Amino acid sequence: VSCGIIDNILSTEEEDTPTCASAKETHFDDCCFDKCSLCDTAQLAWDFVIDYYNDTTKTCGEIESIFAANEIESNSKECSSVKADYQELCCFTPPVSPCELCPEYVHWDEVIEFDGEDSTCKKATAMLKREEESSDVCSSAKENMGETCCYELCNICGESLMLDWDAVVEYEEDRIVCGDFKPIFGRNEVEEGTEACSNITDVYRDFCCYTPPSEPCNLCQTETDFLDAYSSVEVDFWGSAMNCSDVYDYLIRRIESDSDTCSSAKESILDDCCYKKCAVCEGNQIQDHAQEIDLDGETISCLQLHTVRISDIAANSSDCQSMQSQFSDSCCYEAPETPCVLCTEGSVRKEFEVDFDGGTETCEHVANFLANRANNGTDDCTSSQAEYQEFCCFDQCSLCKDNEQIDWDAYVEFDGKEDVSCGSFDWYFTSNGIEEGTGQCTDLQVAFGETCCYEAIDYSTPSCSLCKRGEAWYDVNGDVEVYFEGSNRTCTEVSNSLFRKAEDDSGYCLAAKNEYFPSCCFEKCDLCQGSQLDANVEVAYNETAATCLELGLNFAADIVMKGSEECNAAREILFEPCCYMTPTDPCVLCQSDTAGQGDVRDDVSVSFYGSTTTCFDLNSFLVSREDQLGFMCQSAKSELQESCCFQECSLCGSTGNLYWDNPTTFNDITFACGELTWVLSGSSVEEGSEECIQMQSTYYDDCCSGPSALIPDAGNKCDICPSGKDWYALVMHDGNPMTCLELDSVLLQKGVFDDSAECEQAVLDYSSLCCYIPPEKPCNLCQSGQKSYSVLDQTVTYNGADTNCYGIYNYAWTRLETEDDACLVTQNDLFDDCCYVKCSICQDYQLDQEGLVVHEGTTMACSEIENYFMGANEITQGSEQCGRIQQEHWNNCCYDLPCDLCVSGDSQNELLVNQPVLYMGVNRTCGDWSVLAEGELSQSDVCIATKNDLSDSCCFKECSLCRDTGSLIKWNHPLTYDGLASTCLDVYMNLRSENVQDGDDRCQSVQFTVSHECCHKMPTNQCSLCQSSNGTFLNTNWNSEVNYQGEIVTCGDVNAMLSSEELDGILCLSARDDLWNQCCTPPQQGGNTGLGGILPTAGQNNDFGTLAPGVSDSDESDQTGSRNPTTTASSERDDGAFATFFRRNGAQSSQLYTLAMVPFVIFATSLINLM
């Protein structure tokens, strides 16, 4: 037999069988040879055509085939001869970024001169793909041949119109769709701007092109629902028989929703064309796509059933009911609330096969099936775990010990490869199923454990920062190599290693700094030198557009040092557009000279100088950028205070005083009046509102008219608890049982006041029973995952005693942390008994808060039914009573919003407006798809499907530096990141520029690295340096210099440092004791007297109404009251208010930099980006 037949026979045998081994031993020498390879290790250009021997042409791939067919061996003369002639033409090393001669279309047959010879554009294009895009060869070729070889394809619709791909036209006696014109133009090389293109465009533009509607006409959209269009039904449309789906597509592409055409079409054919599609699975069930079923004698997947086979089948039809009865059991299932985990303490042997569900399946399939179908703790789950864990689960090999971590920056030689990252071993163990304790695992641990593993430091202590000296931070010269730990390492690798492995005060860290600091560290060019960097402003520098932040980072990456000529030159150009001074007296939007400081309506949208933002974001911008007396601040207050600001409702109004400890009743619960004010504050009840007036009227007598009869001298009452008080805990006093609230009153009636011996004794006796420290993250009895449920008024047995769900809920909320075992146990034991899903009228739709309806003979607001009536009567979602209320009031209480592509739950993610994405066969930007989606309503099938398909591609959820959502970020805190001296703001902006999203591995890694430095918990009561013990605020001398913690800083700096501390914390109290007299001054009668050198004194002009148009308030005088000559010259220019209005505080200029566009654009860009 021939060698080929032997090879075919052996292809059915396993490699390690005796048959295979015997055949190799017998026939290898006769059948096998070392074939000549034209390119050896280089890449072969298979399709490249060359002039071959005997005046023939062949592709390089055909030459390679000749070697195989003629059994040309690698050491033969013929092999060497052919390689010498053709290797240079046919073989190349692939470039990283191949050179593309033309952006899209090429005149293939056009003759040009290339590489000194006559050639064609086609050959030149193929040869240039072997060159790098950035090479001189590529640039020269584009310059010399681009005009001849490249062209723009004819576009009959231009840039402003859309092509109707499916419209049918007659072209050259054939019927074609308009989408066919593009390949026709490509085959015939019809160029844009030519006569041929113009002739075709004139004839077919009106048929093939259209302006897309701003709000498309959706034939099957009703007031309450979005229906599907039949594809099998024909109707008469404009005198022609058309398929309903074609009519639907035409209307949605071409016709406005408010046009007569749209209304007429809906009126005439909606009933014939539109239907609610059949759903095989019920509302909460999950579709099983992989399961196979038999439909009319054909085996199909459930995916085909769910997507294709139910088209044109209407809900509630007999066909639909038949589908549901036949296939819901096979194709639908309930998703588990707590998925079953097959291997609870190990990894899954993915390829190992077991007998499962009547067949043979891999362990990976079993694990996935259980996770999708079975709840943890059920019989199915536990029995499967017991049956399959022995076979399917194993402890995966780990290179490092339990107390060690892998060094991702360390590299070893492994498996014949150099520079294998230690971090890749985990993937190697997983993909090869290497188990702990095996010989292979032990060998790898012994070989690489010492190099790859280290014992991590305790990050509660500062890590070793190579380029930090004292409090000064320097940048790492990342590319410099030094000898470190036995090998040459870059300074970046040295810095990262020290940061992970050594504490800052260790001898090892100090020795490393002494050794490597001179070689590795430098002070980068600082554009702003004490001023603040306006990170998002775009400027042009060295003929490149970049943000100021990117330039700052580039100075570090390019090793531009402080004091260098390049640095000084950059500062001269970039200081004004990139830098600004922080305000000395920050602008607070809702602070008024006449009405004090109000609160901000956080979510109200406003328009300010051409930008739409929220009141909260605008206030944040003003506080960080503008002075209280600045023109922009006064302009914002004048325009927006009415829209953005409100005074919080005062329980006692202007006529009464709050008696904190007076008891009162709210929603059938007894509160202290002071605690009732928290309810008002948390609900943002506004002064003067109907709700506020009602609360004042109801509670004035209890809370505001004087001390309660129970507590006649509450002013200096004995306060048992300094923080949390449990008013309803039971205690024994003088032999009588009572609550802590009653004890509070009894002590006052007996004359037990603060600072008395009796009070001290009461604190000792009762504080352990009546007092608690409020949890930072309270335990919510009725929370499951991200969803919170309502509480039943139900009696249950807990810890052996009968009690009420409300009592347990309040106890857990006031006493237990979310992560406490007691919280988890309580939730597990009582969730089913105490918690329920409260009926919602509108469910996923929007509730009209102010809508009025008549319910059971009483006029009620929709919000009253939703928030009070449902809860008071404990009406459960899905109950008959709930369904009746929903049916009765849905039309009057509920509405829908336009589809927003990037809204997910309560989160609004960022739309990547210019991101192109191919969807439904059409390539559009995400901005275009978003506009089209807005024509649908948020709960429609169209919207839900579109969001499901496009949200991953079009929506960006930014990565937060803090893992805890309740944390604040210290934006200007210095740290080392990626080997560079940075701030937390730098890190955040870097993540933004790289499009790192929340949940990405990179995001989680950065959070782990920087959150302990950049994030701090939001204080419950924020420390303010000049807040007195009775809660009033004194004036802060912001610019007065003081000695604080060994440094000379301003009182304003101290106040900023203390903003992350609690008001009653040691650091806050200590600073107030030390600096009160220097930093804090009581308000003076008659208004401002120039305290702190911030505001103009009484003798200075502060009449905003009389400022000249071209002069901002900051131009009037400097802080000493003297006229600034530079300012004067600047303000006398005839540029109106435009130039001075947007000038950063303290930054003077005699010209507008066109380099950074105009100041208005700078402001608008920075404002939009910050918001």
Side-chain angles (χ1 to χ4, degrees):
V1 295
S2 69
C3 292
I5 292 176
I6 296 175
D7 192 50
N8 289 337
I9 294 171
L10 291 176
S11 65
T12 62
E13 299 289 335
E14 293 287 343
E15 177 71 24
D16 56 357
T17 59
T19 301
C20 180
S22 174
K24 281 185 174 184
E25 183 177 351
T26 305
H27 301 295
F28 182 90
D29 292 337
D30 295 328
C31 288
C32 304
F33 69 100
D34 184 11
K35 183 181 75 71
C36 177
S37 173
L38 183 59
C39 294
D40 296 326
T41 58
Q43 183 163 321
L44 178 69
W46 283 92
D47 297 326
F48 188 71
V49 179
I50 53 142
D51 294 326
Y52 195 57
Y53 303 125
N54 301 324
D55 296 326
T56 61
T57 59
K58 292 192 182 299
T59 65
C60 296
E62 287 174 332
I63 297 176
E64 190 74 16
S65 300
I66 290 171
F67 291 158
N70 295 332
E71 299 181 5
I72 307 298
E73 298 193 23
S74 61
N75 58 359
S76 67
K77 290 182 179 181
E78 186 176 355
C79 177
S80 301
S81 174
V82 174
K83 288 171 70 171
D85 291 339
Y86 298 113
Q87 193 173 61
E88 186 175 345
L89 291 171
C90 287
C91 308
F92 65 99
T93 301
V96 177
S97 298
C99 175
E100 295 289 348
L101 176 61
C102 298
E104 194 166 5
Y105 296 99
V106 183
H107 291 300
W108 295 114
D109 299 326
E110 197 72 30
V111 176
I112 43 94
E113 183 178 328
F114 177 67
D115 202 18
E117 297 179 359
D118 287 341
S119 184
T120 63
C121 293
K122 183 175 183 179
K123 285 186 177 180
T125 300
M127 291 298 291
L128 286 170
K129 287 184 177 179
R130 305 181 187 188
E131 305 291 336
E132 290 287 352
E133 180 72 24
S134 58
S135 67
D136 293 339
V137 173
C138 182
S139 302
S140 176
K142 287 183 177 182
E143 184 177 343
N144 296 329
M145 297 183 290
E147 188 173 346
T148 303
C149 289
C150 307
Y151 71 96
E152 182 182 354
L153 194 69
C154 178
N155 181 358
I156 62 174
C157 294
E159 298 297 327
S160 59
L161 300 177
M162 296 289 294
L163 176 66
D164 192 339
W165 288 80
D166 300 323
V168 178
V169 294
E170 195 169 292
Y171 175 73
E172 294 185 349
E173 300 182 356
D174 285 329
R175 290 172 63 82
I176 66 169
V177 295
C178 293
D180 290 338
F181 275 117
K182 191 167 185 178
I184 290 171
F185 293 160
R187 289 193 298 270
N188 296 286
E189 298 185 1
V190 180
E191 294 188 47
E192 181 70 22
T194 61
E195 184 177 353
C197 179
S198 299
N199 291 338
I200 296 173
T201 299
D202 291 343
V203 174
Y204 295 103
R205 172 170 285 180
D206 291 342
F207 297 99
C208 290
C209 308
Y210 65 95
T211 301
S214 55
E215 291 188 20
C217 173
N218 187 332
L219 172 66
C220 295
Q221 177 183 349
T222 68
E223 291 183 359
T224 59
D225 211 346
F226 284 83
L227 306 175
D228 286 89
Y230 284 114
S231 60
S232 58
V233 174
E234 283 195 347
V235 292
D236 181 75
F237 184 66
W238 288 352
S240 299
M242 289 184 69
N243 186 287
C244 285
S245 60
D246 291 337
V247 176
Y248 176 92
D249 290 341
Y250 176 84
L251 292 173
I252 210 161
R253 286 202 302 264
R254 300 270 189 135
I255 306 301
E256 292 285 353
S257 61
D258 57 357
S259 67
D260 292 340
T261 301
C262 183
S263 302
S264 173
K266 286 188 173 184
E267 185 176 337
S268 60
I269 61 175
L270 185 147
D271 292 339
D272 294 326
C273 279
C274 303
Y275 71 104
K276 187 169 185 176
K277 185 186 287 186
C278 174
V280 177
C281 301
E282 296 180 3
N284 294 326
Q285 288 185 310
I286 304 297
Q287 298 176 349
D288 186 342
H289 291 164
Q291 185 70 31
E292 291 189 338
I293 55 171
D294 184 79
L295 178 64
D296 296 335
E298 180 185 359
T299 300
I300 64 169
S301 68
C302 290
L303 175 61
Q304 290 176 284
L305 178 72
H306 292 310
T307 55
V308 180
R309 297 305 178 93
I310 58 172
S311 294
D312 288 358
I313 299 178
N316 300 322
S317 65
S318 58
D319 286 343
C320 180
Q321 292 169 357
S322 174
M323 287 275 195
Q324 291 169 338
S325 63
Q326 288 183 74
F327 303 119
S328 60
D329 290 343
S330 302
C331 291
C332 310
Y333 64 91
E334 303 286 344
E337 292 183 7
T338 54
C340 175
V341 179
L342 176 61
C343 298
T344 53
E345 296 181 355
S347 301
V348 178
R349 293 188 178 100
K350 296 181 180 181
E351 303 302 327
F352 194 87
E353 293 186 339
V354 292
D355 293 332
F356 178 74
D357 198 23
T360 301
E361 300 289 353
T362 64
C363 289
E364 183 177 29
H365 173 85
V366 175
N368 291 336
F369 183 89
L370 293 174
N372 289 327
R373 303 300 180 90
N375 273 295
N376 198 34
T378 60
D379 291 342
D380 286 342
C381 180
T382 53
S383 63
S384 295
Q385 289 171 338
E387 183 174 355
Y388 298 114
Q389 276 184 348
E390 178 183 355
F391 308 104
C392 289
C393 305
F394 70 97
D395 291 330
Q396 182 179 295
C397 180
S398 174
L399 195 63
C400 302
K401 300 174 184 175
D402 291 340
N403 64 334
E404 293 179 333
Q405 291 190 3
I406 198 79
D407 187 348
W408 283 83
D409 288 331
Y411 293 85
V412 294
E413 184 177 340
F414 173 66
D415 203 19
K417 300 176 183 177
E418 295 183 358
D419 295 335
V420 175
S421 168
C422 291
S424 64
F425 276 102
D426 186 63
W427 170 85
Y428 179 79
F429 294 151
T430 301
S431 59
N432 291 281
I434 298 176
E435 302 187 23
E436 187 71 34
T438 61
Q440 189 176 6
C441 176
T442 303
D443 290 344
L444 292 170
Q445 289 170 337
V446 171
F448 303 116
E450 185 175 350
T451 304
C452 290
C453 305
Y454 68 94
E455 192 168 339
I457 66 169
D458 180 359
Y459 280 103
S460 63
T461 60
S463 300
C464 179
S465 297
L466 174 61
C467 291
K468 180 185 178 187
R469 280 198 169 175
E471 293 303 314
W473 292 77
Y474 298 85
D475 283 273
V476 178
N477 196 343
D479 294 333
V480 170
E481 286 195 350
V482 292
Y483 191 76
F484 176 71
E485 292 186 341
S487 62
N488 288 329
R489 308 281 290 276
T490 65
C491 289
T492 296
E493 292 171 335
V494 174
S495 178
N496 291 341
S497 180
L498 292 172
F499 186 84
R500 289 195 307 270
K501 298 178 182 179
E503 296 180 357
D504 194 50
D505 57 359
S506 66
Y508 182 74
C509 177
L510 181 61
K513 285 184 177 183
N514 290 336
E515 175 72 20
Y516 300 113
F517 186 94
S519 302
C520 289
C521 306
F522 71 100
E523 187 171 4
K524 76 170 181 181
C525 179
D526 183 359
L527 281 180
C528 297
Q529 289 189 353
S531 299
Q532 296 296 310
L533 181 71
D534 203 342
N536 293 319
V537 170
E538 279 204 357
V539 294
Y541 180 68
N542 285 347
E543 300 182 354
T544 302
T547 65
C548 296
L549 173 63
E550 289 169 342
L551 286 175
L553 295 174
N554 288 341
F555 288 153
D558 298 339
I559 323 298
V560 180
M561 298 188 183
K562 181 179 179 181
S564 66
E565 289 185 12
E566 184 177 354
C567 177
N568 294 336
R571 290 194 72 246
E572 281 189 26
I573 297 172
L574 300 173
F575 182 86
E576 179 162 342
C578 285
C579 307
Y580 67 93
M581 296 291 292
T582 52
T584 50
D585 183 15
C587 172
V588 180
L589 179 61
C590 293
Q591 183 173 310
S592 169
D593 294 335
T594 57
Q597 183 158 330
D599 290 278
V600 179
R601 297 186 179 104
D602 290 351
D603 297 326
V604 172
S605 292
V606 292
S607 178
F608 186 58
Y609 283 90
S611 297
T612 300
T613 183
T614 64
C615 294
F616 175 83
D617 288 336
L618 176 60
N619 183 61
S620 300
F621 175 81
L622 293 173
V623 167
S624 66
R625 302 297 181 88
E626 299 301 324
D627 271 303
Q628 190 71 250
L629 294 182
F631 182 78
M632 185 183 294
C633 180
Q634 298 305 314
S635 177
K637 288 184 176 184
S638 173
E639 292 182 28
L640 300 176
Q641 268 190 344
E642 184 175 346
S643 302
C644 287
C645 306
F646 72 96
Q647 291 293 325
E648 192 176 276
C649 179
S650 169
L651 191 62
C652 297
S654 59
T655 59
N657 294 313
L658 177 67
Y659 290 83
W660 180 278
D661 294 293
N662 282 9
T664 190
T665 301
F666 176 73
N667 282 355
D668 298 325
I669 301 174
T670 302
F671 280 94
C673 287
E675 291 179 322
L676 184 57
T677 62
W678 297 345
V679 175
L680 292 176
S681 177
S683 303
S684 298
V685 178
E686 298 189 19
E687 187 70 35
S689 66
E690 184 178 340
E691 186 176 0
C692 177
I693 294 170
Q694 182 179 352
M695 293 288 284
Q696 290 170 338
S697 173
T698 304
Y699 295 101
Y700 188 91
D701 291 341
D702 283 353
C703 296
C704 310
S705 58
S708 168
L710 295 174
I711 45 175
D713 192 4
N716 59 347
K717 63 188 274 298
C718 177
D719 195 353
I720 298 173
C721 303
S723 53
K725 306 173 187 178
D726 189 345
W727 292 112
Y728 315 107
L730 290 174
V731 295
M732 293 294 293
H733 178 68
D734 288 345
N736 298 313
M738 61 183 69
T739 65
C740 293
L741 176 61
E742 292 169 325
L743 174 66
D744 215 43
S745 302
V746 169
L747 293 176
L748 275 173
Q749 291 169 353
K750 289 185 175 182
V752 178
F753 300 126
D754 196 24
D755 297 330
S756 66
E758 292 90 340
C759 180
E760 290 182 12
Q761 187 60 46
V763 170
L764 290 174
D765 292 343
Y766 303 115
S767 62
S768 62
L769 298 172
C770 292
C771 311
Y772 63 88
I773 299 174
E776 293 182 2
K777 294 182 180 178
C779 171
N780 185 339
L781 173 65
C782 290
Q783 181 161 346
S784 177
Q786 298 298 316
K787 190 170 182 179
S788 186
Y789 298 88
S790 299
V791 185
L792 287 165
D793 184 11
Q794 180 82 20
T795 300
V796 292
T797 301
Y798 183 60
N799 286 345
D802 289 340
T803 185
N804 183 278
C805 289
Y806 278 125
I808 297 173
Y809 179 90
N810 290 332
Y811 172 81
W813 183 264
T814 57
R815 300 298 183 87
L816 303 179
E817 294 282 355
T818 297
E819 303 300 329
D820 287 350
D821 289 341
C823 174
L824 301 176
V825 170
T826 304
Q827 288 176 327
N828 188 58
D829 290 347
L830 298 179
F831 184 91
D832 291 339
D833 295 328
C834 286
C835 309
Y836 72 104
V837 181
K838 187 175 71 175
C839 177
S840 169
I841 304 175
C842 303
Q843 299 184 71
D844 293 330
Y845 290 83
Q846 306 299 310
L847 177 72
D848 184 352
Q849 300 280 347
E850 298 177 0
L852 294 176
V853 294
V854 177
H855 184 69
E856 297 180 353
T858 303
T859 300
M860 303 174 71
C862 296
S863 57
E864 189 177 359
I865 298 177
E866 179 85 6
N867 300 324
Y868 173 73
F869 184 82
M870 298 290 196
N873 294 280
E874 296 182 357
I875 301 174
T876 305
Q877 184 71 33
S879 65
E880 182 181 349
Q881 188 178 5
C882 175
R884 192 166 58 249
I885 294 173
Q886 290 170 335
Q887 186 174 9
E888 184 177 353
H889 300 307
W890 199 95
N891 288 335
N892 294 320
C893 286
C894 307
Y895 64 96
D896 202 356
L897 296 173
C899 181
D900 190 322
L901 196 59
C902 292
V903 166
S904 177
D906 295 329
S907 301
Q908 172 71 63
N909 298 322
E910 180 182 340
L911 175 67
L912 303 175
V913 178
N914 296 317
Q915 176 74 25
V917 60
L918 182 66
Y919 182 54
M920 294 170 58
V922 180
N923 196 359
R924 289 184 173 136
T925 65
C926 291
D928 292 337
W929 286 121
S930 177
V931 171
L932 291 174
E934 287 173 3
E936 309 292 337
L937 294 179
S938 68
Q939 299 305 310
S940 69
D941 291 342
V942 174
C943 177
I944 294 169
T946 303
K947 290 171 71 170
N948 184 60
D949 293 340
L950 295 182
S951 59
D952 289 344
S953 302
C954 287
C955 304
F956 178 80
K957 186 176 182 182
E958 67 180 23
C959 174
S960 171
L961 299 186
C962 303
R963 287 176 284 182
D964 187 349
T965 55
S967 296
L968 297 174
I969 299 177
K970 298 179 281 188
W971 293 107
N972 291 322
H973 177 75
L975 75 166
T976 298
Y977 175 70
D978 274 356
L980 302 177
S982 309
T983 64
C984 297
L985 176 61
D986 294 338
V987 177
Y988 171 76
M989 296 307 300
N990 191 45
L991 293 176
R992 286 277 310 174
S993 66
E994 294 180 8
N995 288 333
V996 177
Q997 300 204 45
D998 182 55
D1000 291 352
D1001 291 343
R1002 174 81 188 285
C1003 177
Q1004 295 175 5
S1005 173
V1006 171
Q1007 286 175 339
F1008 178 80
T1009 303
V1010 306
S1011 61
H1012 66 285
E1013 292 194 70
C1014 290
C1015 309
H1016 61 82
K1017 290 185 177 179
M1018 186 183 300
T1020 306
N1021 294 306
Q1022 189 177 45
C1023 176
S1024 179
L1025 184 60
C1026 293
Q1027 182 179 355
S1028 64
S1029 57
N1030 64 4
T1032 59
F1033 289 85
L1034 278 66
N1035 288 332
T1036 304
N1037 302 331
W1038 295 95
N1039 289 335
S1040 296
E1041 291 191 338
V1042 292
N1043 188 310
Y1044 181 65
Q1045 294 184 343
E1047 295 186 17
I1048 301 300
V1049 294
T1050 65
C1051 295
D1053 292 335
V1054 177
N1055 203 48
M1057 295 177 197
L1058 295 174
S1059 64
S1060 61
E1061 302 294 329
E1062 291 286 349
L1063 182 64
D1064 56 358
I1066 295 175
L1067 196 60
C1068 182
L1069 296 174
S1070 173
R1072 290 164 66 186
D1073 288 344
D1074 295 341
L1075 303 177
W1076 183 269
N1077 292 332
Q1078 297 165 267
C1079 288
C1080 308
T1081 312
Q1084 301 294 314
Q1085 187 174 2
N1088 168 53
T1089 59
L1091 294 172
I1094 299 174
L1095 305 179
T1097 58
Q1100 290 178 280
N1101 178 9
N1102 60 2
D1103 183 359
F1104 295 108
T1106 61
L1107 284 176
V1111 185
S1112 73
D1113 55 278
S1114 60
D1115 290 329
E1116 287 297 286
S1117 63
D1118 59 19
Q1119 291 184 358
T1120 63
S1122 62
R1123 190 74 172 173
N1124 187 319
T1126 307
T1127 307
T1128 304
S1130 173
S1131 63
E1132 287 172 356
R1133 298 198 320 274
D1134 184 21
D1135 60 0
F1138 193 71
T1140 55
F1141 178 79
F1142 296 102
R1143 186 169 303 129
R1144 302 298 179 205
N1145 296 290
Q1148 305 298 335
S1149 172
S1150 60
Q1151 60 180 332
L1152 286 171
Y1153 272 97
T1154 57
L1155 181 67
M1157 299 180 285
V1158 293
F1160 181 85
V1161 177
I1162 292 174
F1163 163 70
T1165 303
S1166 59
L1167 182 62
I1168 290 168
N1169 287 335
L1170 278 171
M1171 297 174 188

